[in-house]
Amino acid sequence: MPHYVPFMRYAIFKKILRILGKLILCLLLFIGLYLLIGYCLANITIEEEPNAPDEVAIYIVTNGVHTDIVLPVKTSEIDWSRHLLYSHTTAADSTHTYVAMGWGDKGFYLETPTWSDLKTSVAFKAATGLSTTAMHVTYYKDVRESKACKKIMVSKEQYGRLVDHIKASFQQDMTGNFIPIRTTANYGDTDAFYEANGRYSVVTTCNTWANAGLKASGQKACLWTAFDTGIFAKYE
């Protein structure tokens, strides 16, 4: 009987390899299908609303992966500094006149300062919608247009809709205040993190959120996009 053991072990090993091969093939097929669908949907353009007056300047900015929406701190519609206190940042500098906001996976924001720090557990939770989300807020004194920063003129009414989209992304306490995340994972002296609503996944990404904001405010956008390239292609 013992001389059958190596053969049995070899058969089990082959079966495991076949299962792993199928899993890898399914994963590759999923990634390929995901990228193909993403490319097709990103190339379907939602056109901007016609005849809207140019009353408020907003910006979209990318770091090469992630899209933020940049807004003036104070307008007649809202004073963001009343919700996103300057004192929540290390600099606490009230001379900043623009604020950039982005939505994303909390684990990515707080535990992954660089791609080399990415943990498998963080990536898995983010891809499957199992983790929580956060809003990342950064104050700026000035914003300049570039390849990575595009200016968009909107009407006051459109801006109000964008404000509603962004405010709805923040968790609020019983008194209606946004909830800051106490952390040392800030990227600099002028940024802060806040608890957010929603779940991050391969279907709902940081760029999907920014794209949804553009659609909500009647601006040119993708039908759907997971990546920043889809958004910025509309503003070349």
Side-chain angles (χ1 to χ4, degrees):
M1 188 69 177
H3 66 280
Y4 288 107
V5 173
F7 175 77
M8 292 174 63
R9 287 177 178 174
Y10 177 71
I12 293 172
F13 180 68
K14 282 186 65 177
K15 187 174 182 180
I16 292 174
L17 284 180
R18 283 199 299 269
I19 293 172
L20 287 176
K22 289 179 180 179
L23 289 175
I24 293 172
L25 179 60
C26 288
L27 178 61
L28 292 175
L29 288 173
F30 172 79
I31 293 173
L33 184 61
Y34 178 79
L35 293 174
L36 177 61
I37 292 174
Y39 175 81
C40 293
L41 295 182
N43 278 279
I44 299 175
T45 302
I46 303 297
E47 295 295 344
E48 63 184 307
E49 294 174 349
N51 305 319
D54 296 341
E55 297 174 317
V56 182
I58 68 170
Y59 299 82
I60 51 173
V61 62
T62 178
N63 63 2
V65 176
H66 169 92
T67 303
D68 277 350
I69 298 175
V70 186
L71 308 176
V73 173
K74 298 179 181 180
T75 62
S76 58
E77 288 69 37
I78 189 171
D79 179 353
W80 286 107
S81 65
R82 292 185 178 182
H83 302 274
L84 310 167
L85 305 185
Y86 288 111
S87 59
H88 289 165
T89 68
T90 302
D93 187 345
S94 60
T95 64
H96 291 81
T97 55
Y98 290 92
V99 59
M101 287 174 273
W103 175 93
D105 178 76
K106 193 173 181 179
F108 270 121
Y109 273 142
L110 304 183
E111 301 177 39
T112 315
T114 65
W115 285 110
S116 61
D117 298 305
L118 180 61
K119 301 176 183 176
T120 303
S121 59
V122 171
F124 177 78
K125 288 180 180 179
T128 55
L130 295 176
S131 64
T132 54
T133 52
M135 291 293 292
H136 182 231
V137 173
T138 308
Y139 277 106
Y140 293 103
K141 289 189 176 180
D142 191 21
V143 182
R144 296 183 180 181
E145 287 189 90
S146 67
K147 186 176 181 180
C149 180
K150 302 297 183 179
K151 181 180 179 179
I152 306 171
M153 295 302 300
V154 303
S155 70
K156 290 183 178 181
E157 190 274 333
Q158 290 172 329
Y159 184 68
R161 281 185 269 152
L162 179 59
V163 168
D164 290 341
H165 168 76
I166 293 174
K167 287 179 68 176
S169 301
F170 285 90
Q171 286 189 26
Q172 300 180 32
D173 61 21
M174 296 296 292
T175 59
N177 295 316
F178 298 164
I179 305 171
I181 299 173
R182 305 301 179 184
T183 178
T184 59
N186 302 78
Y187 300 164
D189 293 335
T190 62
D191 72 314
F193 293 97
Y194 295 81
E195 300 288 356
N197 293 313
R199 294 284 181 177
Y200 189 101
S201 70
V202 293
V203 176
T204 309
T205 72
C206 52
N207 298 301
T208 305
W209 175 86
N211 189 65
L214 293 174
K215 286 197 283 189
S217 58
Q219 304 310 304
K220 190 178 294 185
C222 306
L223 181 61
W224 177 86
T225 184
F227 307 108
D228 62 330
T229 51
I231 297 172
F232 278 79
K234 310 301 180 188
Y235 293 91
E236 290 180 346

